Amino acid sequence: MNTLPSSYIQRFLLENLDIRGAVVRLADVWQAMQVDRHYPAPVARLLGEMSAVSAVISGNLKQPGRLTFQVQGHGPVGLMVVDCNAELNLRGYAKVAGPVSGESLGELVGDGRLQLSLDVQGMDQPYQSLVPLEGDSIASVFSHYLAQSEQQPAGLWLTCDPSATAGLFIQCLPGAQDRDIDGWSRIMQLAQTVRPDELLGLAPEVLLGRLFAEEDVRLYPPRMVTHHWPPQPEKVADMLHSLGEHEVRTVLAEHGEVVVHDELSNHTYRFDADDIDALFQPPTLH
């Protein structure tokens, strides 16, 4: 058995049925995304599940690119964003706008919508899609979204705890019904028996062997998922410079420093008076 990375997605194919799928598990990535966030447990679970499914969809793209999902609503969680680039480098955050008392997606987000943005190299502008939140969980919302967007039935099972988030994805390929008219319903029934502890604790080949013991499962090589977004103070300085000296010095005078927090990458940048002087100092002529 090959050693798997701590965070990965591994695609598979049920060869005799033309049903594809993927297993995802994020351990170190999910732990890093929670550092200093202090989310209430239901919010963390929601963000963890969305991170897992974002990795699945990114890993299944025909043309790799930067994929960003946003969930916006009018509940205690006003915004959730998960961003994943072509190398499966993942980041994300949730914005909690009020007291959290519920557990379900509806109680946390309220009347909301899901926005997808896909930026592929060579495209004039990113592809964007906006759909209502249909379903009472992240899994049901994305199952519906995938089935609608690709016109093929899909199933998704997600779980999350503080140490890891994981998921199982399956989808019918075109023509699968011609190979086995009962194949999809049979696989769906089997997949629905998966337990959270199995998603979190079993290697994909063991998990799939238990669930689909009678099927021929082709496993593709796993792809590592990472969370590597080091600080970029130069980019933040360029952003402040583009705002203009008057606006930046107004903030400095009011607060004694200029503080910029990058929510997605979870970095805070602080600029004091000397930093601002250096930022707007005229270039030296030689």
Side-chain angles (χ1 to χ4, degrees), residues 54 76 84 105 113 168 185 200-201 225 227-228 230-231 247 261 265:
S54 297
C84 190
L105 180 65
R113 60 186 185 178
L168 170 68
S185 61
L200 290 168
V225 182
H227 174 75
H228 179 65
E247 185 168 345
H261 184 63
S265 300

Side-chain angles (χ1 to χ4, degrees), residues 10-224:
Q10 188 158 18
R11 297 166 54 243
F12 65 87
L13 177 68
L14 304 181
E15 294 196 270
N16 295 332
L17 301 176
D18 279 353
I19 294 174
R20 69 169 181 164
V23 176
V24 60
R25 185 173 187 269
L26 309 178
D28 58 345
V29 164
W30 174 231
Q31 292 165 29
M33 289 174 65
Q34 297 176 83
V35 171
D36 294 330
R37 296 290 197 178
H38 310 297
Y39 294 126
V43 177
R45 175 183 53 79
L46 213 62
L47 180 63
E49 291 177 352
M50 189 165 154
S51 300
V53 72
S54 297
V56 167
I57 296 175
S58 295
N60 276 284
L61 289 174
K62 294 177 182 177
Q63 292 180 281
R66 179 176 177 178
L67 182 67
T68 304
F69 282 112
Q70 292 188 42
V71 170
Q72 296 174 292
H74 301 96
V77 180
L79 177 68
M80 279 198 309
V81 181
V82 177
D83 176 86
C84 190
N85 68 15
E87 291 74 38
L88 300 187
N89 191 6
L90 188 74
R91 57 182 174 171
Y93 78 101
K95 185 175 182 180
V96 182
V100 174
S101 57
E103 295 277 342
S104 71
L105 180 65
E107 291 171 316
L108 293 170
V109 177
D111 181 21
R113 60 186 185 178
L114 170 67
Q115 177 176 309
L116 171 151
S117 177
L118 175 60
D119 191 359
V120 175
Q121 187 174 5
M123 294 174 60
D124 293 335
Q125 59 185 14
Y127 165 80
Q128 291 190 331
S129 175
L130 192 64
V131 295
L133 291 179
E134 297 188 28
D136 58 0
S137 67
I138 291 293
S140 59
V141 165
F142 276 91
S143 294
H144 178 81
Y145 170 79
L146 289 165
Q148 290 293 110
S149 64
E150 301 190 17
Q151 300 297 305
Q152 294 294 331
L156 187 63
W157 294 266
L158 301 167
T159 190
C160 181
D161 67 18
S163 65
T165 181
L168 170 68
F169 162 71
I170 57 172
Q171 186 171 42
C172 237
L173 294 172
Q177 299 278 11
D178 298 333
R179 299 199 66 175
D180 187 331
I181 193 169
D182 298 317
W184 175 250
S185 61
R186 183 172 71 252
I187 294 304
M188 276 290 289
Q189 289 176 356
L190 293 170
Q192 287 168 357
T193 67
V194 71
R195 303 193 309 267
D197 63 297
E198 292 176 325
L199 287 175
L200 290 168
L202 296 181
E205 60 189 270
V206 177
L207 174 67
L208 299 174
R210 288 192 183 185
L211 290 175
F212 312 127
E214 303 300 319
E215 307 298 336
D216 291 331
V217 181
R218 181 197 298 182
L219 268 176
Y220 297 97
R223 292 186 63 192
M224 181 184 296

Side-chain angles (χ1 to χ4, degrees), residues 219-239:
L219 268 176
Y220 297 97
R223 292 186 63 192
M224 181 184 296
V225 182
T226 60
H227 174 75
H228 179 65
W229 299 94
Q232 296 180 302
E234 298 84 5
K235 283 192 174 183
V236 178
D238 289 343
M239 181 271 292

